[in-house]
Amino acid sequence: MNRHPIAVALRALRQTLWGPDAPPGRPLLARWPRLARYAAPVGLLAALGLFWITLAVESSDWGLPIPIAVLFAAMTVAPLLALPRRPLLAWRLTVLALLICTFNAPTDTPGPWTPPLALGSIAVVAVVLARVDRPVLAWVVAITAVPVLTLVHPENRAAVLALLGALAIVGDLIRRNRLSRRALAAQTELSEREQERRAVLEERTRIARELHDVVAHHMSLIAVQAETAPYRLTDVPAPVAAEFVAIAASARDALTDMRRLLGVLRSESSGRQTAPQPDLTDLGAMIDAARRAGLPVTLDAAGGHDGQVPAPVGLAAYRIVQEGLANAARHAVGAAVRVTVRTGPSGLGVRVENSPADVRPTTDGGSGHGLTGMRERATSLGGTFTAGPLPDGGYAVAAELPYDAEGGDV
């Protein structure tokens, strides 16, 4: 005999009767915070009103003594007060009230309960059935049916049981829909985080590849100059020539190690990337291509220190301008774009801004791939990167890329 269903049913019964309460779930007025702040005082006033109505009905119409009427009125209101945070406790109090608050009920009433208790019980049961899982839901329905079968008039029993069954079906559907939406939201968040992490890794990999190409060029020059120095220079002492040979060997070893690391970074389908990397001198060609594509863009370049800008900084500036133009073309259709490049003795500033457009700029603001790549490029060189909307409705990205002008290196 399979005891697993029995064990599940017994655990559900323990939770139903005295176990931990069901989670309250999201507040009903969470989407309207201004209304939510008035929910507590309005609820207390409503509970006080139900208390006085119940007290009047039971003392005047039912003829109960005042102390008993006060007790029954309190038992009617207590489940509603506990319902927002303790739904299972509210249901337990409701069942207790349904079993006790039946004295001196008029014979012509459809049920032995006051209208506030009957309507409040329906509300409590409906909320609880939308909060608990199926095993607990089955016990809640079964136990709630006990006072219905024993105290409700036989002519009204079927209607009340049908209402209870409908509440159970609707509550289960609501709970399953809520769990599905919660799982979908969690999966979406996980997917977005994975995409962002993947974008960062891909951008870092691409930066590493491009930096390798730039550094490899300089290392190759060092190796060639060191190897040819003894032939180009006259009267080179033997120790100095040996030192040149050692420098060339170290440069070749460094190139070999970098190529080995690059082989790990490159995918099998990417192939070798041997084309020269762009720099600041290629900005004009890129701006002209953007204009031919229909993007109204202007270039403002000043500084006079182009020759002192290291290759990695020039490459990063080029890529930042390239991504900024692409974002403007995608998210600010028809807007005028201004590219500003300022080269100084110890750093380079890049700024891409667009005027307001019919389509509001929706660049990712740091959560997507475009700005993530630009930020990675700037911070990898020890610089800063900012992005955000402008007061006039446009959008701007800006980067400050420092370098050492004397050494010509980052």
Side-chain angles (χ1 to χ4, degrees), residues 60-351:
S60 300
D61 299 343
W62 290 19
L64 292 176
I66 294 298
I68 297 179
V70 170
L71 175 62
F72 286 2
M75 294 181 67
T76 300
V77 175
L80 299 177
L81 296 177
L83 183 60
R85 296 187 178 275
R86 302 288 301 276
L88 265 182
L89 176 62
W91 171 79
R92 294 163 188 161
L93 295 176
T94 296
V95 173
L96 189 64
L98 292 176
L99 293 173
I100 295 177
C101 302
T102 59
F103 298 112
N104 289 352
T107 57
D108 57 346
T109 57
W113 305 298
T114 60
L117 178 57
L119 296 177
S121 301
I122 294 175
V124 170
V125 171
V127 172
V128 172
L129 293 179
R131 291 283 185 263
V132 297
D133 54 11
R134 282 185 174 178
V136 177
L137 180 145
W139 282 113
V140 169
V141 172
I143 296 174
T144 306
V146 172
V148 175
L149 293 173
T150 57
L151 300 175
V152 175
H153 193 277
E155 296 180 356
N156 300 318
R157 236 173 248 169
V160 178
L161 290 177
L163 175 62
L164 183 60
L167 291 177
I169 294 174
V170 174
D172 185 61
L173 292 177
I174 293 175
R175 182 188 63 85
R176 291 174 59 186
N177 181 59
R178 184 176 67 253
L179 293 178
S180 299
R181 286 189 285 107
R182 188 178 303 170
L184 180 60
Q187 183 65 30
T188 301
E189 182 180 1
L190 181 62
S191 177
E192 290 177 352
R193 290 181 179 178
E194 180 63 22
Q195 289 179 0
E196 182 177 356
R197 186 185 68 85
R198 188 180 306 167
V200 171
L201 293 178
E202 290 177 354
E203 188 63 27
R204 288 179 177 176
T205 301
R206 188 169 66 173
I207 293 173
R209 293 170 179 170
E210 293 174 348
L211 287 178
H212 164 270
D213 294 338
V214 173
V215 175
H217 172 71
H218 294 295
M219 294 297 294
S220 299
L221 291 179
I222 293 174
V224 171
Q225 289 175 346
E227 287 178 342
T228 60
Y231 304 98
R232 291 183 289 103
L233 303 176
T234 59
D235 300 331
V236 177
V240 177
E243 188 70 20
F244 279 127
V245 172
I247 293 174
S250 298
R252 286 194 300 269
D253 291 341
L255 282 173
T256 302
D257 292 337
M258 281 195 300
R259 291 190 178 109
R260 186 181 299 114
L261 292 175
L262 185 63
V264 176
L265 293 176
R266 294 188 193 275
S267 63
E268 295 181 357
S269 60
S270 63
R272 296 184 59 85
Q273 298 178 358
T274 56
Q277 297 295 331
D279 54 19
L280 292 181
T281 59
D282 299 306
L283 281 179
M286 180 174 58
I287 298 297
D288 292 338
R291 289 170 182 161
R292 289 193 298 270
L295 185 65
V297 55
T298 58
L299 175 63
D300 180 10
H305 298 272
D306 295 353
Q308 299 174 348
V309 177
V313 176
L315 174 61
Y318 181 91
R319 295 302 188 196
I320 290 173
V321 173
Q322 186 180 47
E323 186 63 33
L325 293 178
N327 283 342
R330 285 194 302 265
H331 304 297
V333 180
V337 182
R338 181 181 180 85
V339 178
T340 304
V341 179
R342 294 286 185 268
T343 55
S346 60
L348 182 147
V350 180
R351 180 180 177 88

